[in-house]
Amino acid sequence: MLKMKNLFKTSFSKAGLTFIVSVILMAILRNPYYVGILIFLGINIIITIGLSLLMGYAGQISLGQAAFFGIGAYATGVLTTKLHMPIIFSFPLSLLLTVTVAFIIGIPTLRLKGHYLAMATLGLGEIVFIVFNELLTLTGGPSGFGNIPLIKIFGVELDSDYKYYIFVWAIVSLILFLSLNIINSRFGRALKAIHKAETESATLGINTFRLKLYIFVLSAGYASIAGFLYAHYITFLSPGTFSLGFSIVLVTMVAVGGMENIWGAIIGTTVLTVLPEYLRFFKDYDILIYGVILMTIMLLRPEGLYGIKIPLRKILSARN
Amino acid sequence: MNIGVQLLQYTLSGITIGSIYAMVAIGFNIIYNSTGIINLAQGDFVMLGGMAAVYFHNSLHIPLLLSGFFAITIVTCIGILFERVAISSLKNPSIITLIIITIAASILFKGGAMFIWGKDAYVLPSFSGDKPIMFFGATILPQTIWILGFLGLIVAALMAFFRFSIVGKAMKACSYNKRAASIVGINVNKMVMISFALSACIGGIAGVIVTPIALAHYDRGSLLGLKGFGTAVMGGLGNMGGAVAAGLIIGLLESYSAGLLSSGYKDAVALVILLMVLYFRPGGIFGKKEIESLKTY
Amino acid sequence: MLTIRSLRSYYESICALKAVSLHIQKGEIVTLIGANGSGKSTLLNSIAGLMPKTKGTIQFEDTEITNLSSSAIVKLGIALVPEGRQLFFPMNVMDNLILGTYPFYTFRNKKNLYNKIDRIFDLFPALVDRKKQLAGTLSGGEQQMLSIARALMSEPKLLLMDEPSVGLAPKIVESIFQTLILLQKQTGLTIFLVEQNAKLALNISQRGYVIETGQIILSGEKEELMNNKEVIRAYLGKE
C-alpha cells in the first residue's frame, strides 16, 4: 500500500493516470458531442497549465495568452494550406515561430511588473488580434480561412473525434508530465522563490529575469501546441477565437481553479469548459456568468477551488 | 478636398477622440493616485454611461440632458458599489489578486450590459443637432464642441477640487502618504471610495458625450480602457495635465494613421505607442522629476 | 485625563505590548523612555488608533477610545507627532497645516482656520517664510516643526510625541522643547513624550515611565527616575 502511494507521487504516474482516466472516460461516454467538448477541454488545459506556471509559480500575469494560441494555430494553418507543407514540418515551425515571438517580446515585457505587465500583455494580445484581421492575404481577414488538413500519424488519419481525442489527451498528459517535472526541479523551486519575494531571490543570486523569461516562453510554447491542435481539429480559423475575451477567459479559468497549483488550473478549466455545455443559459450569458463566478471566487475564496475539501473518501467508503 | 483641408479634418477628429482618451486616462489616474490600483474596468464605466443614457432616452423617452444626468449618477453609484463590495473588503491583497478583481468587475459590467441590453449597438442623438460647422473647409460636428467643452470643464473642476477643496487635498494627501493621512484623522477608506466614485463619474460623462458620435455597445469598454491606460502612462500615471496632452497626441497619431496609412491598423497605433512608452519611458514623457522624487521616500 | 489598563497590542500575531497600564493627568508632561523596539512607538500608535489589534482599555476623559478610528480619536482631542515626521512631502507648508484640521474642517470656520495658522506661525516663526515651499524640501528641523505644528492645528488636549529629537542638532531640539514648555504653560496642553534621549525628555517632564520588551518596568516622579540607578545605567549614561 505504501509503495502504491509513492508510485502515485511520481509525475510519470500522475500523467499516465490522467491519460488512462481520459481514455476510460471516452469509453464510457461514447458520444461524439461529449467527446468533442472534451477535446476542447484538453486544448484549453494545455494553455492553462502554461498560464498556471506563469501566474502561480512565477507570479507573473499574461492577459495576451490567446495571441500565442492564435500564432500557433495560424502558423500551422497557413503553412499547410497556402504552402502545402506537410504537418511534420509545420508543427515544429509554428512552435518555433511562437516561441521566437514570445522570446523577443518577452525581453522588454517581463521587465515590467504588476499592472504594467498586465496591460502590456493585454496590448500585445490586441495587436496580434488586429494583425490576424488585417493580414488579408495570409489570414483571410475577419472571415478567416478553411481547408486545413487533418493530422496523419504513422499512416493513420485522425479523421474521427475519437482518434483525435486520444491524440489530444496523450499530448495533455505529456505536457502535464513535463510541467510536473519542471515544478519539482531546481528550476521550479527557484520559480516559487521568485513568487515569494522577487527582491530576496535576486539577492540569493537567482537570475529572476531569465527564469521569468523561460517560463513565459514555455507557456507561449504550450499555447502554440494548443493552437496547432485546434487548427487541425476545426480545420478553419478566424480571428474571433483569439480575441482579448479568450485571453481573459483563460486567466479566469486559472484563477477560479486556484493560481497556486497546476491541478487548480486543470480544475478551473474543466469547470468553465464543461459547465457552459450543460447549462443553456450559460451559453447566452456566458460573459455575465464568468464575471459572477470569478468575482465570487476572488472575494470569498481567493485561493480558488483547488483544495476545497470534498468528502470523497467518505463517499467512496460508504459505497464499499 | 485638398491635402491641407484633409489634414485639418484628421486633426479635428484626432482631437475629438483624444479628448475621450484623456477622460479615460484621468479616471485611471484618480484611482491610481489614491490606491495604486489600475482599474481594468475603467473603460467599462464609459460603456455603461453610454448604454444607460441610451436606455433612459430611447426607451424611457426622458429628455436627453436629464438622461445623461441619470446615466452619470448610475455609473457613479456602480463605482461606489464596486469599491465597497470588491475593493474595501480585501485584506492585504497581492497585485495579481487586485488585477484579477478589476478584470472580474470588467467582465461583470460587460456581461451585465449584455444581459440587459443585448448585443446590439445603440446611438444617442447629438446634444445640439448634426448640422456640421464649416471650419477652413473642414467640418466640425457640434458634438465635438460639446466633447471638448466637457473635457475642459472636467479638467478645470478637478484642478479646483484638488487645489482648493479640503477633500481634494485630503485625497492627494492619501496618495502621498497613507499613514500620515490617518494620523491627521483622514479616513483613508472613505477617500478610496470617493476616488472610485469620482473616476466612475468621469467615465460616465465620457460615455454619455461620446455616444452620439460613436456607438454604444456592451463590448466597447476593453479597447477604450486599454487606450486610456496607454494615455495615462504616456502622460505619467497620476499626472492630470499629462493625461490631456498624451490623449491629444495619441488621438492625433491615431487619426493621421487611419487617414493616411490604413484604417484597419489605427487601433494598433495607440497600442504600439502604449508598449513603446512602457518599454522606454514607463514614467511617462512629461514626468515631473521633482515631485516624483518627493513621492518616494 | 488618559488612563490605560492592561493594554495589549499585536503586529500580525506578535505581541508588541504586554499588559501596559499607565495614566496621565491634565496639564502634565509625561515621558516614556525605552530602547529601540521596546514598544514605545507601538504604545503611542495604539493610543492614536493606528494599531489594528489592541486589547485592554484606553480611556480618554470620559470616553473609551480603545477601538475607535484614528479620525474619531483626533476629533476627541488627541494628536500624534509621529516618528519620522510623516509629512505630505509633495504638498506645501500651508496645505500640510490645513490638513491638520481635517476632521474639524467646515466651510463656516474658514476664518477661524487662518487665525489658527497665524497663532501657529507665532510659535514657529521659522515656518512663516516657508509657507509656499513643499514640505519635502524643508530642512530636518523645519520638518519637525511642521509636524508638530500640523498636530497642533487640531487643537489637541493631549499631544503624543514620538522621538521628536531624532536626527536634529541639539540647538534645534532645545528650541523645540522650549516651545513645548511654553505651550504647556500657556494653554495647559498635556504632552506624552516618547524619547530615546531620556535626559533631555525627563528634564522638561513632571513624571516618567520606563518600558522594556512591551512592559512598563518602572514609573515615578522626575527626580525619582533621574536618581534611579537602573535608569542612570541604562538610559542616562555617566556624567
Side-chain angles (χ1 to χ4, degrees):
Chain A
M1 196 60 206
L2 204 73
K3 265 189 185 167
M4 278 285 278
K5 252 189 179 168
N6 281 336
L7 201 66
F8 283 130
K9 276 186 183 156
T10 68
S11 41
F12 181 74
S13 53
K14 277 176 186 165
L17 209 65
T18 307
F19 184 64
I20 294 165
V21 168
S22 68
V23 172
I24 293 172
L25 200 62
M26 183 186 84
I28 297 170
L29 288 173
R30 279 200 296 183
N31 171 330
Y33 175 68
Y34 292 136
V35 168
I37 294 169
L38 293 182
I39 290 174
F40 279 118
L41 173 62
I43 290 171
N44 287 345
I45 282 181
I46 293 172
I47 313 176
T48 52
I49 286 180
L51 200 53
S52 153
L53 289 175
L54 188 67
M55 283 166 69
Y57 291 85
Q60 309 301 310
I61 197 164
S62 165
L63 298 178
Q65 214 63 4
F68 299 125
F69 178 51
I71 294 173
Y74 268 101
T76 186
V78 169
L79 289 174
T80 49
T81 50
K82 310 268 148 111
L83 303 178
H84 306 289
M85 187 182 275
I87 286 169
I88 189 114
F89 295 124
S90 81
F91 173 69
L93 276 177
S94 64
L95 185 59
L96 187 70
L97 176 71
T98 317
V99 166
T100 313
V101 170
F103 183 77
I104 292 169
I105 61 181
I107 290 173
T109 305
L110 285 164
R111 297 204 185 274
L112 304 171
K113 286 194 175 71
H115 291 105
Y116 285 84
L117 177 64
M119 286 305 210
T121 53
L122 201 60
L124 284 167
E126 192 64 23
I127 290 174
V128 171
F129 177 69
I130 292 169
V131 171
F132 288 156
N133 271 302
E134 296 301 319
L135 222 56
L136 291 171
T137 45
L138 285 181
T139 66
S143 45
F145 70 101
N147 293 328
I148 299 169
L150 297 172
I151 298 175
K152 213 182 237 177
I153 310 173
F154 307 124
V156 182
E157 190 161 61
L158 302 179
D159 53 358
S160 82
D161 278 4
Y162 295 100
K163 291 179 197 161
Y164 210 76
Y165 176 95
I166 293 177
F167 181 61
V168 166
W169 278 89
I171 291 177
V172 172
S173 307
L174 265 174
I175 296 264
L176 184 61
F177 173 65
L178 180 66
S179 308
L180 288 171
N181 271 327
I182 289 172
I183 292 166
N184 294 328
S185 68
R186 221 172 66 91
F187 181 71
R189 286 193 296 278
L191 271 180
K192 267 282 175 197
I194 300 184
H195 192 13
K196 268 197 180 140
E198 278 209 32
T199 45
E200 227 172 85
S201 38
T203 54
L204 286 175
I206 302 170
N207 187 336
T208 58
F209 174 70
R210 197 179 290 172
L211 282 181
K212 285 191 282 187
L213 186 61
Y214 283 156
I215 219 74
F216 182 71
V217 170
L218 181 78
S219 76
Y222 285 1
S224 174
I225 294 170
F228 168 83
L229 291 172
Y230 177 85
H232 293 286
Y233 175 58
I234 299 293
T235 69
F236 171 83
L237 294 174
S238 68
T241 318
F242 311 102
S243 68
L244 193 151
F246 187 58
S247 285
I248 292 196
V249 166
L250 292 167
V251 170
T252 306
M253 287 170 170
V254 175
V256 164
M259 280 180 268
E260 299 293 318
N261 194 298
I262 226 172
W263 299 99
I266 293 173
I267 292 169
T269 311
T270 309
V271 169
L272 290 182
T273 309
V274 175
L275 215 57
E277 302 296 335
Y278 279 89
L279 305 171
R280 181 71 207 138
F281 68 91
F282 202 132
K283 265 196 172 161
D284 294 336
Y285 302 112
D286 54 346
I287 306 176
L288 181 63
I289 295 166
Y290 278 129
V292 170
I293 293 178
L294 183 58
M295 187 60 104
T296 315
I297 292 278
M298 290 319 284
L299 291 181
L300 301 181
R301 198 183 154 81
E303 64 272 37
L305 292 175
Y306 178 81
I308 284 186
K309 288 210 171 57
I310 305 165
L312 204 60
R313 228 169 251 183
K314 267 189 196 163
I315 296 169
L316 287 178
S317 62
R319 279 202 183 161
N320 289 342
Chain B
M1 237 199 290
N2 67 39
I3 188 77
V5 172
Q6 223 164 356
L7 275 177
L8 181 63
Q9 192 67 59
Y10 296 146
T11 308
L12 289 170
S13 63
I15 291 173
T16 312
I17 191 69
S19 306
I20 297 297
Y21 296 161
M23 284 187 222
V24 181
I26 289 172
F28 272 113
N29 284 339
I30 291 172
I31 291 182
Y32 175 80
N33 269 345
S34 69
T35 58
I37 296 174
I38 301 294
N39 173 26
L40 276 88
Q42 192 61 39
D44 296 289
F45 287 147
V46 181
M47 176 275 292
L48 286 174
M51 290 298 241
V54 166
Y55 173 73
F56 286 126
H57 185 70
N58 296 5
S59 304
L60 302 184
H61 307 293
I62 295 171
L64 190 57
L65 286 182
L66 204 58
S67 296
F69 178 75
F70 284 163
I72 292 161
T73 312
I74 282 193
V75 177
T76 309
C77 293
I78 291 173
I80 294 175
L81 197 70
F82 167 38
E83 193 278 335
R84 283 292 102 172
V85 173
I87 304 290
S88 71
S89 59
L90 298 174
K91 281 166 196 130
N92 301 322
S94 68
I95 290 186
I96 279 204
T97 308
L98 281 173
I99 292 173
I100 293 174
I101 291 245
T102 61
I103 290 176
S106 162
I107 309 176
L108 261 181
F109 295 153
K110 215 178 288 175
M114 196 186 88
F115 182 76
I116 300 170
W117 295 297
K119 293 188 177 176
D120 298 329
Y122 300 92
V123 70
L124 202 62
S126 301
F127 293 4
S128 47
D130 292 311
K131 198 169 169 241
I133 302 159
M134 296 307 284
F135 181 75
F136 293 110
T139 55
I140 306 174
L141 288 174
Q143 193 64 23
T144 299
I145 295 170
W146 278 98
I147 291 174
L148 290 175
F150 265 101
L151 176 67
L153 210 65
I154 289 173
V155 170
L158 281 178
M159 271 162 69
F161 174 69
F162 284 116
R163 194 159 300 171
F164 302 116
S165 87
I166 186 85
V167 178
K169 279 178 186 168
M171 278 179 71
K172 257 201 307 190
C174 281
S175 76
Y176 297 141
N177 189 339
K178 283 208 172 61
R179 191 179 158 73
S182 38
I183 285 171
V184 298
I186 296 170
N187 187 340
V188 177
N189 217 322
K190 202 160 113 193
M191 293 301 135
V192 173
M193 190 185 86
I194 296 174
S195 74
F196 272 82
L198 207 56
S199 138
C201 174
I202 293 168
I205 295 174
V208 172
I209 59 172
V210 78
T211 304
I213 57 164
L215 302 175
H217 181 241
Y218 81 99
D219 200 18
R220 226 192 45 197
S222 307
L223 193 57
L224 200 55
L226 198 53
K227 289 180 182 176
F229 174 76
T231 307
V233 173
M234 189 173 177
L237 262 182
N239 182 342
M240 301 286 167
V244 175
L248 296 182
I249 292 174
I250 292 185
L252 286 174
L253 286 175
E254 193 176 304
S255 175
Y256 290 145
S257 59
L260 304 174
L261 303 171
S262 128
S263 67
Y265 283 109
K266 84 173 170 38
D267 287 334
V269 171
L271 300 175
V272 170
I273 296 173
L274 161 69
L275 290 175
M276 291 305 124
V277 172
L278 280 177
Y279 293 160
F280 301 111
R281 288 297 301 263
I285 58 173
F286 315 107
K288 274 191 203 159
K289 283 275 158 53
E290 191 196 18
I291 298 267
E292 280 310 313
S293 68
L294 290 178
K295 271 186 194 165
T296 50
Y297 37 82
Chain C
M1 181 178 221
L2 183 82
T3 314
I4 297 176
R5 284 193 203 90
S6 50
L7 183 73
R8 266 174 254 266
S9 253
Y10 304 87
Y11 278 114
E12 306 288 324
S13 57
I14 302 154
C15 186
L17 288 181
K18 305 161 191 161
V20 168
S21 297
L22 57 82
H23 69 277
I24 295 165
Q25 266 146 27
K26 200 168 164 38
E28 274 189 315
I29 297 184
V30 177
T31 292
L32 178 69
I33 48 185
N36 264 338
S38 57
K40 289 175 302 183
S41 293
T42 312
L43 180 55
L44 286 199
N45 290 339
S46 307
I47 300 171
L50 297 171
M51 293 291 295
K53 277 192 277 182
T54 48
K55 285 176 186 165
T57 60
I58 307 173
Q59 185 153 353
F60 179 66
E61 296 185 316
D62 298 324
T63 322
E64 156 103 40
I65 61 164
T66 321
N67 287 311
L68 291 186
S69 69
S70 56
S71 53
I73 290 170
V74 175
K75 264 190 184 161
L76 284 170
I78 300 180
L80 172 69
V81 180
E83 192 179 5
R85 290 143 207 167
Q86 305 280 355
L87 295 168
F88 304 113
F89 285 161
M91 299 173 97
N92 66 27
V93 169
M94 282 297 267
D95 282 347
N96 270 277
L97 289 176
I98 291 171
L99 283 168
T101 66
Y102 179 79
F104 305 96
Y105 192 95
T106 57
F107 283 111
R108 236 180 278 163
N109 59 18
K110 215 167 183 181
K111 208 171 174 187
N112 199 354
L113 173 73
Y114 288 104
N115 288 338
K116 241 193 250 179
I117 291 178
D118 284 341
R119 283 202 299 275
I120 292 288
F121 283 146
D122 287 342
L123 280 173
F124 299 102
L127 293 178
V128 180
D129 304 332
R130 303 265 184 257
K131 267 187 196 175
K132 294 281 160 210
Q133 204 171 313
L134 301 183
T137 61
L138 298 180
S139 73
E142 287 163 345
Q143 287 187 1
Q144 188 60 59
M145 286 178 208
L146 180 57
S147 183
I148 298 170
R150 188 184 64 185
L152 291 174
M153 284 298 288
S154 66
E155 297 187 317
K157 299 170 198 162
L158 172 63
L159 188 67
L160 309 171
M161 302 193 71
D162 200 348
E163 312 244 11
S165 74
V166 165
L168 297 183
K171 232 183 178 175
I172 295 169
V173 175
E174 199 174 308
S175 102
I176 287 177
F177 277 32
Q178 287 306 326
T179 313
L180 291 180
I181 294 171
L182 188 77
L183 265 173
Q184 186 227 3
K185 286 197 175 129
Q186 277 181 354
T187 63
L189 177 69
T190 314
I191 299 173
F192 188 31
L193 184 61
V194 161
E195 260 300 340
Q196 271 191 308
N197 190 339
K199 194 170 167 190
L200 194 76
L202 279 174
N203 252 326
I204 66 162
S205 313
Q206 279 89 50
R207 288 192 303 120
Y209 290 92
V210 180
I211 188 168
E212 236 170 55
T213 58
Q215 282 170 306
I216 300 282
I217 54 157
L218 206 63
S219 68
E221 301 291 316
K222 167 182 172 182
E223 285 76 20
E224 237 177 287
L225 288 179
M226 289 189 98
N227 296 324
N228 182 298
K229 274 186 190 157
E230 280 299 303
V231 175
I232 292 173
R233 191 184 58 79
Y235 302 105
L236 296 177
K238 288 166 215 154
E239 238 178 278

